[in-house]
Amino acid sequence: MSGLVRGGQLARLLGEWHALPARRRSPDYLALAGAVRGLLTDGRLALGVRLPAERELAEALGISRTTVSAAYRELRDSGHLASRRGSGSWTTLPEGMRVGASGLWGPAPQAEAGIIDLSCAAPSAPPELVEAARAAVDDLPAYLGQVGYWPCGLDVLREVVADRYTARGLPTRPEQILITNGTQHALDLVIRLHVHPGAPVLTESPTYPGALAALAGARARIATYGLGHDGWDGELLLDTLRQTRPRLAYLVPEFQNPTGHLMPVKLREQLPAVAHSAGVDLVIDESFVDMHLFDDGATMPPPVAAFDRHSRVMTIGGLSKPYWGGMRIGWIRAAAPLVQRLAAVRVGVDMASPVLDQLVAVRLLAYGPEVVDARRPGLRARRDTLLKALAERLPEWRVSVPDGGLTLWAELDAPVSSALARAAESHGVRLAPGPRFGVDGTLERFLRLPFTLPEQDLVDAVDRIAAARFDLDRAPDRVIYAAEQALIA
């Protein structure tokens, strides 16, 4: 699976490449080559993508074709570009830099004394959960006289979930809902049904590590679309779908994990139609859809599926992010015939979800938005505390303010994310480095930082991370880090 990035699109990605301080003393061709390498290393420009012809890029950037030719030659020499006569030039990484996806990960099995764990973005359970569990036990006897297997889920829970979609402007019937054991299970069922070994699948970069692990386990051929500092470049994403025609595209439009971006309405409107014309099925992950942190009266955009006219969209969601990770209840919303096919696949995996857990979910969802609404002030305060601490202790890092979700996506001052995570362990902080959210060794300049812990823990964690970053600069192998930094500078 490959695609083409056009001259105007690459020019937008490059931005003010010639005006950056570190590049002002370099010849233009070296500055251009360095900027393209930076896009590759940051995951914003996918591997295996064909770059525009030299003349086209020169016109888009307003520079000479000679400069572009020299930049392309520099990229070929450094191993970031491969060319074949008559086929153009496409992006790659130097020998030795390509690594596999990092796979699924999570917190330590139990809390360790003195360790601040920032490796997992998950909130603690709300107080209403205990009351919901007690009420569910009272509901259980009505089901004990039956066999206990409901592959599609209990009717009462399917109705509650369908009503939630309808209230968001997406009319949904219970038969369009399949209850699963969490969102990860929902994604796994979709992959089992749609993805055969070697099938092309498109994901955002960065993205949820669990999705990458599930796709790798299915031996899918993963291609990526790179998110920019401001989120999605709609034209480039739609062109990528048209050109590459993947079997499946996995996207997180609501407070994207890990960047926190919220997809605009216009792109939501365009996605299903373009996907249909390209023969692509969309998997829309709404794990964070309830986790907005608006404080200015803003409202959520409609679901992507609200613009679907050809049953191309499968929406997955669950209770783990807005409620508690221990509530392993999720769902898939899709066309009713597709739900039946997914249920048939599911029977060969785990038969059905636990009845008592589903009854707890029904009771918990009966509280409506009050449970999540009660969390918002605390999450806003923790987000702002983390932002303030980073600005004070690590001012060289670039961090945008997300309008929702549970994490910050920090751009570091050098491509040292994995090294920093290792160094931070000795300071008592557990981190999830950027490469865990991508493929092929990219995203070393980024770090995901959740704001689900108490505020003082977040401040202490930043102090420890800053100390670890200082240690890297003083380490004996600092020359290696400097070389890595120069590689994309």
Side-chain angles (χ1 to χ4, degrees):
M1 180 168 54
S2 62
L4 166 68
V5 59
R6 305 181 192 281
Q9 294 168 342
L10 183 54
R12 286 201 304 274
L13 291 175
L14 289 166
E16 298 296 325
W17 59 273
H18 56 287
L20 297 179
R23 294 171 182 149
R24 286 174 182 161
R25 294 182 297 275
S26 301
D28 281 353
Y29 80 93
L30 288 178
L32 178 57
V36 172
R37 278 195 292 265
L39 291 176
L40 281 167
T41 308
D42 291 350
R44 296 183 59 202
L45 185 61
L47 298 177
V49 169
R50 188 154 59 92
L51 294 188
E54 295 173 0
R55 186 185 303 277
E56 180 185 353
L57 182 57
E59 292 176 355
L61 294 175
I63 60 178
S64 70
R65 182 178 176 182
T66 302
T67 299
V68 176
S69 298
Y72 278 16
R73 183 171 60 252
E74 176 71 17
L75 290 167
R76 283 191 290 271
D77 291 345
S78 66
H80 292 83
L81 198 65
S83 301
R84 184 183 300 120
R85 186 178 298 277
S87 300
S89 300
W90 59 94
T91 55
T92 184
L93 281 180
E95 186 69 25
M97 283 189 66
R98 297 177 69 95
V99 297
S102 300
L104 189 59
W105 50 273
Q110 60 184 13
E112 299 177 32
I115 295 293
I116 301 176
D117 192 349
L118 295 181
S119 67
C120 187
S124 58
E128 292 87 351
L129 180 57
V130 174
E131 183 180 340
R134 288 170 176 160
V137 172
D138 294 335
D139 297 333
L140 184 60
Y143 296 87
L144 295 180
Q146 303 179 56
V147 67
Y149 298 127
W150 284 270
C152 289
L154 296 182
D155 289 344
V156 62
L157 181 54
R158 297 173 78 191
E159 290 172 5
V160 170
V161 175
D163 288 345
R164 284 165 58 88
Y165 280 110
T166 299
R168 291 173 54 203
L170 177 59
T172 302
R173 304 185 308 277
E175 56 265 33
Q176 292 178 266
I177 300 297
L178 175 72
I179 302 301
T180 64
N181 298 325
T183 310
Q184 183 73 20
H185 181 219
L187 177 60
D188 180 74
L189 290 176
V190 170
I191 292 173
R192 285 174 182 268
L193 181 62
H194 287 85
V195 179
H196 58 78
V201 177
L202 182 71
T203 73
E204 297 148 332
S205 178
T207 193
Y208 170 51
L212 296 176
L215 292 169
R219 292 184 289 166
R221 190 153 47 97
I222 304 173
T224 59
Y225 160 80
L227 291 173
H229 296 299
D230 298 319
W232 298 263
D233 182 321
E235 178 188 319
L236 183 55
L237 174 57
L238 297 175
D239 266 5
T240 300
L241 289 174
R242 294 186 187 101
Q243 294 167 16
T244 62
R245 295 177 177 270
R247 178 67 188 88
L248 211 64
Y250 169 81
L251 304 172
V252 189
E254 285 85 21
F255 313 118
Q256 200 265 350
N257 185 6
T259 65
H261 293 307
L262 181 63
M263 183 179 286
V265 174
K266 182 179 179 181
L267 183 54
R268 292 166 183 262
E269 293 175 349
Q270 296 170 318
L271 264 174
V274 171
H276 177 65
S277 64
V280 180
D281 288 320
L282 298 177
V283 182
I284 301 300
D285 188 339
E286 291 191 337
S287 294
F288 292 90
V289 71
D290 294 320
M291 303 307 298
H292 74 78
L293 299 176
F294 303 142
D295 55 8
D296 58 359
T299 58
M300 288 291 293
V304 172
F307 304 101
D308 183 20
R309 302 292 179 266
H310 304 282
S311 299
R312 284 288 181 182
V313 177
M314 291 164 284
T315 305
I316 61 177
L319 299 183
S320 63
K321 297 305 181 184
Y323 294 95
W324 185 46
M327 279 298 302
R328 305 311 305 156
I329 292 294
W331 51 77
I332 305 170
R333 184 209 179 271
L338 182 55
V339 166
Q340 292 300 315
R341 292 173 60 199
L342 288 164
V345 171
R346 192 252 182 91
V347 168
V349 177
D350 69 342
M351 298 298 291
S353 296
V355 173
L356 183 57
D357 288 15
Q358 294 183 72
L359 294 175
V360 174
V362 171
R363 289 290 187 167
L364 196 56
L365 291 173
Y367 289 102
E370 289 82 3
V371 174
V372 182
D373 287 347
R375 290 181 180 268
R376 297 193 204 284
L379 286 172
R380 287 194 200 99
R382 291 172 183 177
R383 176 197 64 186
D384 295 344
T385 294
L386 182 56
L387 286 165
K388 183 172 183 268
L390 289 169
E392 292 174 351
R393 299 289 280 114
L394 293 160
E396 303 86 1
W397 291 12
R398 178 177 178 178
V399 187
S400 58
V401 182
D403 286 326
L406 299 171
T407 63
L408 302 181
W409 184 241
E411 181 178 355
L412 314 185
D413 55 323
V416 295
S417 184
S418 296
L420 180 60
R422 290 191 294 270
E425 284 276 353
S426 63
H427 288 269
V429 180
R430 184 168 292 117
L431 299 173
R436 284 187 175 173
F437 301 86
V439 295
D440 294 315
T442 60
L443 303 174
E444 275 290 359
R445 190 183 279 273
F446 295 90
L447 187 68
R448 191 188 77 165
L449 298 169
F451 45 84
T452 52
L453 297 180
E455 291 181 55
Q456 188 56 54
D457 285 351
L458 296 175
V459 173
D460 291 346
V462 173
D463 285 341
R464 299 181 189 189
I465 294 169
R469 182 66 188 93
F470 180 70
D471 286 350
L472 284 188
D473 286 335
R474 298 173 62 244
D477 53 348
R478 59 187 178 276
V479 175
I480 296 176
Y481 301 131
E484 291 175 343
Q485 185 174 6
L487 180 66
I488 68 168

